[in-house]
Structure formats: structure tokens, C-alpha cells
Amino acid sequence: MKSLAVTIISLFTLSAANAQTWSVDKAHSRAGFTVTHNLLAEVDGNFKTFDAKITAAKPDLSDAVFEFTADVNSISTDNERRDNHLKSPDFFDAAKFPTLTFKSTSFKKVEGKKYKITGDLTMHGVTKPITLDATMTGPVMMKGMGGKEQEKAGFKINSTLKRSDFSVGTIPVVVVSDEVEIKVNGEFAKQDSAVAEK
């Protein structure tokens, strides 16, 4: 029994030691959303300031853990008046809840390039589990700036959640839809061990 415990601990230690960090390329990534206004038109928005990373020990990223944070004060719908309203206590209450976070608990292949990412989303001070549909491209080796080769992967992530589940806004759904479509596109680059440890 003791040897079994030592073996399990060793496997966990080895896995952690071999874990690689994949950092998001913000210049080629976007964290956006869409709502319906007055039951008529779709309005798009995004977070201008965000960060994301993937941690994985397996080369195919099948054991990937996704982490994402966004600055609620950076929300943008290309309309300053609307953005200020979204940041107010009527919606996100950015002064009180300035950060939105997500951390995955599961990453499972459905078929081909299709995956399901399950994790905990914290928004407006409320944490709830959500499931995201993801399409992964790669990993592939590509040349970056300066001709240096780097392993990269791309993710297209979609889902729909209800803002009422996170107590975001009491505005009637005939004005702003309760359902919010999540649209995230991310390009990630595998970091050298020395860089990732800093």
C-alpha cells in the first residue's frame, strides 16, 4: 500500500514538473460577447484588457487547464454612454466587482477538433460552473517574429449563459436579452521553460 502511494505521488510530481505554459497572444485574440437589444438587434462587446493561459503536460493539450481574467472596466461596445452604463451598479458594478475570472476543471474531446471545456466562472461576485464549446487548431510549429520557431495553438470558443444567473442587471429582458452569447478567439504560444518560470 505504501509503495502504491509513493508511485501515485511520483506520477503527480512528474506531471507537474513536465507541465508547460501556453501564453495568449493578445494581438491575435479577442474576448467578446453579444446580446440582443429590444428583441431586435444584436449588440457586440468585448473586454479590451484580459489575460489567459493554458497549462498542460501532454503535447496534444488533452490535459489542458485554461485560466482567464478580464478587467470589467475595460468593457467596450463602441459606445461610451452604454459602456459606462454596463460598468455601473445597473449591470456589472465594476467598482465593486472589477474582475471576471474563469478556470477550467475539465477539457474533453467530443470529436475531431471539437471539445467541451467545463469550469468555474466568477462574475459580479457570483461563481457558477459553465460549459464552453471549443474548436482547437493545432498545436503546430510556426515561425514567429525574427524567424524563431514556436509551437502554437488556436481556440475558437462559444457558449451562451444567462446574465440573471450571475445577477448582472435587472434591466427587463425585452430591453437587453437575458441570454449572452460568449465569443472568444485565442491564439496561444508555448513558452520556453525558463520564460514560463519567471
Side-chain angles (χ1 to χ4, degrees):
M1 193 70 178
K2 184 177 180 181
S3 61
L4 177 61
V6 171
T7 301
I8 292 173
I9 291 171
S10 297
L11 286 173
F12 274 115
T13 302
L14 183 62
S15 177
N18 291 333
Q20 294 286 335
T21 298
W22 296 67
S23 295
V24 68
D25 178 352
K26 296 177 187 177
H28 300 100
S29 302
R30 190 173 192 273
F33 59 88
T34 299
V35 296
T36 302
H37 180 250
N38 285 343
L39 303 177
L40 296 172
E42 292 187 341
V43 176
D44 296 324
N46 67 94
F47 294 98
K48 295 292 187 182
T49 304
F50 66 90
D51 200 6
K53 72 174 183 177
I54 299 170
T55 305
K58 296 181 179 179
D60 63 357
L61 301 181
S62 58
D63 62 340
V65 174
F66 296 78
E67 294 180 66
F68 172 84
T69 62
D71 178 3
V72 176
N73 282 292
S74 73
I75 198 167
S76 174
T77 62
D78 292 326
N79 183 291
E80 186 177 357
R81 182 177 177 183
R82 182 169 55 217
D83 294 345
N84 289 334
H85 192 198
L86 288 173
K87 288 182 271 189
S88 78
D90 284 348
F91 284 97
F92 283 97
D93 198 356
K96 189 175 181 181
F97 307 106
T99 306
L100 179 154
T101 65
F102 174 81
K103 184 172 183 178
S104 70
T105 55
S106 172
F107 180 57
K108 293 183 178 179
K109 188 171 186 175
V110 178
E111 63 175 352
K113 297 180 180 180
K114 305 293 184 182
Y115 291 79
K116 292 282 187 183
I117 304 174
T118 300
D120 294 320
L121 173 66
T122 299
M123 181 168 61
H124 196 248
V126 178
T127 300
K128 286 183 176 290
I130 64 169
T131 298
L132 308 168
D133 295 315
T135 301
M136 179 172 73
T137 303
V140 294
M141 292 299 296
M142 300 182 72
K143 285 187 177 181
M145 296 292 288
K148 182 181 179 182
E149 282 203 338
Q150 192 173 27
E151 198 167 4
K152 296 188 176 185
F155 288 88
K156 183 177 181 180
I157 298 171
N158 296 91
S159 186
T160 300
L161 56 82
K162 291 185 176 181
R163 61 183 175 86
S164 59
D165 287 342
F166 296 86
S167 301
V168 176
T170 57
I171 304 299
V173 296
V174 294
V175 179
V176 178
S177 61
D178 189 26
E179 290 192 336
V180 180
E181 185 179 355
I182 306 300
K183 300 176 179 179
V184 177
N185 289 297
E187 183 176 313
F188 291 80
K190 187 177 181 180
Q191 301 300 298
D192 292 337
S193 298
V195 174
E197 288 173 2
K198 289 183 179 180

